[in-house]
Amino acid sequence: MKIERMTEIETPFIKVGDRIHVDHYTATCQEITPKGALFFLDQYLDKAFPMNWNDTNEGGYEKSDLRKALQSDEVLNVFADIRDYMVPFDNGDLLRIPFAGELFEKLPSWCEQDGHEQWPLMQDRRNRLASRCGDYDWGWLQNKDKSSSTDFCLVNGNGFAYGWYASSVIGVRPAFLIA
């Protein structure tokens, strides 16, 4: 009989697939970048958020209410135990949500193209699925839905790309860099 067992080790070297604990969540390393290891929460945050309260995709993710919420003390306090290891993304943010290209190999024509490559672990659709407080949920992506002035792209509860109203309150799975 073959048994696969996960073990906990102390190491300064992080690899794709390594998992860490963040508060009561887990996060998995998706890729190693020049700035550090990029981790992605395995679950959605307990609190769901809209992309924009006023139901618009004007200004994209960069100008969204969700981006502001992710930089708030309320959300960043969840990451207090690892905050000393976190490094900001190029825009100065410590947390972000993924681009559709990081989750999907091919983007639907209605989804704003982003030039990102799919994270290797996201080739398995099951890794695109996540729960919030024990229930599977939908989750925001940074891309706008090009066919609408109110919609953003998201990953639905089946792990596929979908577009939905910016004012919808749904799951958020932050990504972050650890150096």
Side-chain angles (χ1 to χ4, degrees):
M1 173 177 9
K2 290 184 180 183
I3 297 174
E4 187 174 329
R5 182 171 291 148
M6 292 177 45
T7 61
E8 186 175 313
I9 61 169
E10 182 102 11
T11 179
F13 304 106
I14 299 172
K15 296 179 183 178
V16 170
D18 284 351
R19 213 177 251 159
I20 61 172
H21 290 277
V22 179
D23 196 64
H24 64 281
Y25 305 99
T26 57
T28 302
C29 180
Q30 300 296 320
E31 73 176 338
I32 304 300
T33 75
K35 289 188 86 172
L38 182 86
F39 280 84
F40 186 43
L41 280 189
D42 298 327
Q43 306 83 23
Y44 292 115
L45 295 173
D46 291 344
K47 181 178 179 183
F49 293 88
M51 183 66 77
N52 281 315
W53 287 106
N54 62 357
D55 210 24
T56 181
N57 64 19
E58 186 176 339
Y61 172 75
E62 286 294 315
K63 302 285 185 191
S64 70
D65 295 331
L66 177 55
R67 180 177 174 228
K68 291 175 197 147
L70 286 178
Q71 307 320 307
S72 71
D73 287 339
E74 175 188 6
V75 175
L76 287 172
N77 284 341
V78 170
F79 297 83
D81 290 346
I82 63 165
R83 188 95 178 254
D84 291 344
Y85 302 101
M86 293 172 70
V87 294
F89 291 100
D90 291 339
N91 65 359
D93 293 353
L94 288 176
L95 299 173
R96 70 168 176 87
I97 57 173
F99 290 92
E102 292 170 326
L103 267 61
F104 303 104
E105 183 179 14
K106 291 186 178 196
L107 301 183
S109 61
W110 49 264
C111 183
E112 178 181 62
Q113 302 299 302
D114 58 43
H116 287 85
E117 288 187 26
Q118 185 182 34
W119 293 330
L121 298 176
M122 292 300 142
Q123 293 172 3
D124 183 342
R125 183 179 58 86
R126 292 174 294 183
N127 290 330
R128 298 191 298 260
L129 303 176
S131 63
R132 182 171 57 85
C133 301
D135 295 320
Y136 281 100
D137 200 356
W138 296 18
W140 289 119
L141 301 171
Q142 285 197 33
N143 311 58
K144 295 191 292 185
D145 179 336
K146 297 186 305 188
S147 65
S148 168
S149 63
T150 62
D151 294 3
F152 275 86
C153 299
L154 55 83
V155 58
N156 69 15
N158 293 318
F160 298 108
Y162 204 76
W164 204 246
Y165 307 111
S167 61
S168 300
V169 179
I170 62 172
V172 175
R173 267 176 100 180
F176 53 93
L177 287 168
I178 296 286

